[in-house]
Amino acid sequence: MLVGAHVSVAKGLVASLEYARDVGCECIQIFAKSPRRWIGPPSDAEAGKRFAEARASHGIRAVYTHTAYLINLAATDPDARTRSIEALADEIVRGRLLAAEGVITHLGTDPLGDRGAAAERISSAIRDAFRIADASVPDTAPDPSRTRLLLENSAGAGSTYGRDVADLAAVFALAPDLTDLLGVCIDTCHGHAAGMALDTREAWRALVADIDAGCRHGALEVVHANDAVHERGSKKDRHAWIGDGTLGYEAFRAMLSVLDTGEMCAITEMPGEVPIKDSENIRRLKDVRAQVSE
C-alpha cells in the first residue's frame, strides 16, 4: 500500500511534488482549484502536462485530486444542482489534465431524508458531469479513462449522504454504465464517526468484501488514513494524528495488514504545521506498514 498526504499547491504544481518527495510521499492528494469556490482560473493544459511528466522523477506513483466542498450532488434546489454538476465536470477535466488516477468527491446532503431518491439524484448528476467533461477536455489531454471519480464516505452528521457502504453502493447500482469510471475512497475518521468498526483485520476484510459486492470488485482505491478525536459513532469529523486518536495504531495496523497490496493509497489529511504534520504521520504509517510486512 502506498503512503502519502494531502499537499498544498499554493507554490505551484511542480513545487507540490518537491514538497511531497521531501516529506516521504509515495502518493498524493491535491486540490486542483480552490476548494471553497465554485469556479477557478481556466485550466492550464501545459502546466498539467509538466506536472504529469514530473511525477515519476519525484517518486510519486499516484495522484488524486479532491473536489470543492461546495458541491452537493444530492441537491434538490435546481440552481444548486446545476452549479454542482458544472463544478464536478470542471474538477473531472482538471483531474484528467493532470493525468490523475482519480478525483475524490463528497456526495452532499439529502434534505428530504429519502436515501433512494438521493442516490438517484447523485447518480444522475454524476452522469451529467461526465457528459460535460467529455465535451470539454482538449484532444491533447491524457487518456480520460485513467481518471476515475471516487465516492467518499461521510461522518454521518445531519443529512449528509454516504454514511455507509450501502449509500455508496446505491449510487453504483444506478449508474451501471459508469461503473468502470467510479471508485471508492474510505475516510477512516469519517467511517469511525459514522459507526463503522475499523479496529480489526476482520472488520477491514468485511468492509472490503462489502465494497466489492455492493460497488464493484476492486472499487476501493484510496483510504484517507486519519485518526479520530472523537469516539466511534460520534458523527463528529475531527482528525487526529496517526496513533493519537480513538482509532489508535491497532486500526491502522489492521488496515495495512489487509490492504498492503498493489497500488492502493493511504493518504493522510492532518491538522498541524507543515512539514512536520506530514512527515511525522507518513513516518508513522510507514513504520506500521513495515511491522505488518515482517
Side-chain angles (χ1 to χ4, degrees):
M1 192 171 196
L2 305 180
V3 173
H6 180 96
V7 302
S8 172
V9 297
K11 295 183 179 179
L13 286 168
V14 174
S16 73
L17 295 172
E18 295 167 353
Y19 172 86
R21 175 198 60 205
D22 291 345
V23 297
C25 289
E26 299 161 341
C27 55
I28 62 170
Q29 176 180 276
I30 61 173
F31 290 125
K33 53 170 279 298
S34 170
R36 302 190 185 280
R37 295 182 179 275
W38 286 107
I39 59 174
S43 301
D44 186 338
E46 283 304 312
K49 182 179 179 181
R50 290 192 297 272
F51 174 83
E53 291 172 346
R55 281 175 47 178
S57 64
H58 289 77
I60 306 303
R61 291 160 59 183
V63 171
Y64 290 86
T65 68
H66 197 292
T67 63
Y69 299 130
L70 298 171
I71 291 173
N72 180 6
L73 300 177
T76 55
D77 175 77
D79 181 61
R81 177 175 174 81
T82 297
R83 296 184 80 177
S84 294
I85 291 169
E86 292 175 347
L88 179 60
D90 179 61
E91 298 275 11
I92 293 170
V93 169
R94 291 173 188 273
R96 288 174 173 177
L97 290 175
L98 295 170
E101 275 67 25
V103 174
I104 299 170
T105 190
H106 299 155
L107 297 178
T109 57
D110 169 28
L112 302 181
D114 184 335
R115 312 305 276 181
E120 290 180 1
R121 292 194 302 275
I122 292 167
S123 63
S124 173
I126 290 172
R127 184 175 290 105
D128 287 348
F130 270 115
R131 175 180 52 79
I132 295 169
D134 288 344
S136 304
V137 177
D139 293 338
T140 56
D143 177 9
S145 66
R146 71 170 288 158
T147 303
R148 289 169 295 283
L149 181 68
L150 274 57
L151 314 185
E152 182 178 347
N153 63 313
S154 75
S159 59
T160 54
Y161 188 90
R163 67 190 63 172
D164 53 28
V165 173
D167 273 1
L168 306 183
V171 176
F172 271 77
L174 290 164
D177 52 319
L178 299 177
T179 297
D180 290 342
L181 289 173
L182 298 180
V184 169
C185 169
I186 292 294
D187 185 304
T188 54
C189 179
H190 293 178
H192 183 67
M196 286 185 183
L198 298 172
D199 55 341
T200 66
R201 291 185 179 91
E202 290 72 22
W204 276 97
R205 291 190 187 105
L207 175 61
V208 173
D210 286 348
I211 293 170
D212 283 350
C215 300
R216 65 168 171 79
H217 184 75
L220 179 60
E221 293 186 35
V222 174
V223 174
H224 281 163
N226 303 309
D227 213 326
V229 170
H230 297 286
E231 295 296 328
R232 178 181 169 192
S234 68
K235 295 182 170 57
K236 295 179 179 179
D237 177 22
R238 187 175 171 195
H239 299 181
W241 285 21
I242 301 298
D244 290 351
T246 55
L247 277 162
Y249 278 112
E250 281 304 310
F252 296 101
R253 190 171 290 112
M255 176 193 81
L256 285 160
S257 66
V258 171
L259 303 181
D260 193 17
T261 57
E263 298 291 299
M264 192 180 296
C265 294
I267 295 174
T268 66
E269 302 170 309
M270 291 300 166
E273 297 296 322
V274 295
I276 186 65
K277 73 180 184 70
D278 296 321
S279 60
E280 177 61 16
N281 282 285
I282 288 170
R283 182 194 66 77
R284 293 183 186 188
L285 278 179
K286 286 183 176 180
D287 284 350
V288 174
R289 183 178 66 182
Q291 292 167 11
V292 302
S293 298
E294 291 176 352

